[in-house]
Amino acid sequence: MHSVLSYFRAYFSPDGDAPRGNCSAGQIAQHLYAALRELGTVCYLDADAQPRGLTAEFFVGHFWSFARTARANRFARNVVLYAIADPGYRARALAPIVEATGLGEPAWDAPPPHFDHDETMERADVVLLVGNSFTRATFAPRWRSKIRLLNYSVDATLFHPAADARREFCYPATHCGLRKGFYDVLETWSGIDARVTRLHAVGQLEPAWRARLDSRNNGSIVHHGYLDSRSAPYRDLLRSCRFAYIPTVVEGQMGTALEAIFSGCVPITTRASGLDDAVLEHCIVVEPGDVDAHRDAIATMLAWSDDTWRARRGALLAVAHERQSWDVFRATLLETAAESACAR
């Protein structure tokens, strides 16, 4: 079988290391390519490329450029990969925070002008959605029969729990901002006494968010800036905390949340984090924006005994290794390809 895979060369390139290969998008592209290679030849395209006249039995494309590529070429089966919730839902979910803060989304995090969500969903034979049942429910009912959930993982060889850890929390992100729940971070932790516990935040900050952090931080938040997820300081920081606080608002499936889990942290998070439903059963699940409930959850976790924390961590790690694995990712993709071959 000949396949075409359209993603981003900045995140993955079959010819060598990509500058952002350790990011979630890079690992997703790498494992997509590896699975498709098991089935035959693969033509890998940058998502910004605009090829014409290609033919293939199987096409997998990132949702930003999928429709444009599918329209200009001849593919027997078209599979789009959405790495985030429905774009309309995203806008609605973030609007109240934008209004409250006056802070908008960075341009690099939004789809390009040529993206057409309706055309993308119409042209797709199958939609692979990185996320959980909550993520799927953000899409209009008419599309849901096409959607197949796709769990992914992290490099589990890099992340493993310590024997013990501090009664503190981590908030790992590549960028601290609207989608990742940083507004809730600031509102919640402005009311947490630093003598009780602290939050170790990781991620790049735009100047406006830096100013907001400085104005809201009572000492309970320690901001470590951006740390490469493959670096020892990042991995050691996650392993040093018993808990994670990740109140993400809109996501596909949050890779840094998985890194925290595989490092031994039990998280407070939201269904919008996109983590597998079975994994979320072993987390503390809150609603975005409910600051009082977030503080109550923090207090509850701090009151756990050592034995309770270890038991919760063990159960969470077991289901995470089972459900959030690259084997599951590969199996889902290969099953989709096999079903598509039968449908031709």
Side-chain angles (χ1 to χ4, degrees):
M1 184 176 80
H2 179 59
S3 302
V4 171
L5 171 60
S6 173
Y7 224 81
F8 300 95
R9 283 193 177 271
Y11 290 97
F12 171 72
S13 172
D15 305 322
D17 290 337
R20 301 176 188 171
N22 61 316
C23 296
S24 298
Q27 294 190 56
I28 287 172
Q30 174 190 338
H31 285 85
L32 284 172
Y33 184 81
L36 292 175
R37 283 283 294 159
E38 295 183 38
L39 301 176
T41 56
V42 182
C43 172
Y44 183 72
L45 305 172
D46 186 86
D48 291 331
Q50 299 185 44
R52 290 184 173 276
L54 297 179
T55 60
E57 290 115 308
F58 197 59
F59 170 54
V60 180
H62 186 277
F63 72 104
W64 280 15
S65 58
F66 169 85
R68 184 173 64 183
T69 304
R71 188 190 316 129
N73 300 277
R74 295 178 60 191
F75 305 127
R77 295 290 283 178
N78 293 285
V79 177
V80 64
L81 189 144
Y82 270 78
I84 197 166
D86 179 272
Y89 171 82
R90 167 181 172 157
R92 294 190 299 274
L94 294 179
I97 311 173
V98 172
E99 183 177 355
T101 63
L103 300 174
E105 292 188 82
W108 51 261
D109 200 33
H114 64 76
F115 170 70
D116 185 319
H117 179 52
D118 284 350
E119 182 188 2
T120 298
M121 297 298 288
E122 286 282 1
R123 287 188 175 275
D125 297 303
V126 178
V127 178
L128 290 175
L129 175 62
V130 178
N132 58 19
S133 60
F134 176 93
T135 322
R136 179 168 50 201
T138 66
F139 287 75
R142 69 183 185 278
W143 305 128
R144 292 176 196 165
S145 62
K146 291 185 175 186
I147 295 174
R148 186 163 197 172
L149 297 181
L150 180 67
N151 281 355
Y152 77 110
S153 190
V154 298
D155 187 345
T157 64
L158 293 176
F159 302 98
H160 50 90
D164 201 0
R166 302 188 299 251
R167 291 178 179 271
E168 295 185 343
F169 292 74
C170 64
Y171 167 88
T174 304
H175 293 85
C176 304
L178 289 175
R179 283 204 303 108
K180 306 298 183 179
F182 200 62
Y183 178 71
D184 279 1
V185 169
L186 300 181
E187 295 305 300
T188 297
W189 286 82
S190 66
I192 301 292
D193 190 334
R195 294 169 296 182
V196 174
T197 189
R198 296 183 301 170
L199 176 75
H200 296 271
V202 176
Q204 293 180 0
L205 271 180
E206 298 295 329
W209 282 107
R210 164 61 67 183
R212 195 170 186 89
L213 170 62
D214 291 343
S215 69
R216 300 295 287 163
N217 190 7
N218 65 5
S220 61
I221 300 174
V222 181
H223 182 240
H224 296 264
Y226 171 76
L227 296 175
D228 190 300
S229 62
R230 293 181 178 270
S231 69
Y234 177 82
R235 290 179 285 136
D236 290 345
L237 179 63
L238 267 55
R239 295 177 72 239
S240 73
C241 298
R242 288 194 174 192
F243 314 112
Y245 172 71
I246 309 173
T248 188
V249 180
V250 179
E251 191 53 78
Q253 200 166 72
M254 194 167 175
T256 52
L258 290 172
E259 290 170 352
I261 288 171
F262 284 115
S263 298
C265 302
V266 180
I268 298 169
T269 191
T270 64
R271 297 199 183 280
S273 67
L275 298 176
D276 184 273
D277 293 333
V279 172
L280 282 175
E281 290 180 8
H282 298 276
C283 303
I284 303 297
V285 178
V286 295
E287 292 294 322
D290 192 347
V291 170
D292 289 339
H294 295 195
R295 291 177 183 163
D296 287 345
I298 291 167
T300 295
M301 296 173 86
L302 290 173
W304 287 351
S305 68
D306 292 348
D307 288 344
T308 297
W309 168 68
R310 290 192 178 94
R312 292 290 297 249
R313 180 177 75 164
L316 174 61
L317 282 167
V319 73
H321 280 288
E322 176 187 351
R323 303 295 287 265
Q324 304 270 185
S325 76
W326 289 116
D327 287 340
V328 169
F329 180 95
R330 171 183 171 275
T332 302
L333 183 63
L334 295 181
E335 287 168 10
T336 301
E339 292 167 2
S340 294
C342 293
R344 290 201 302 270

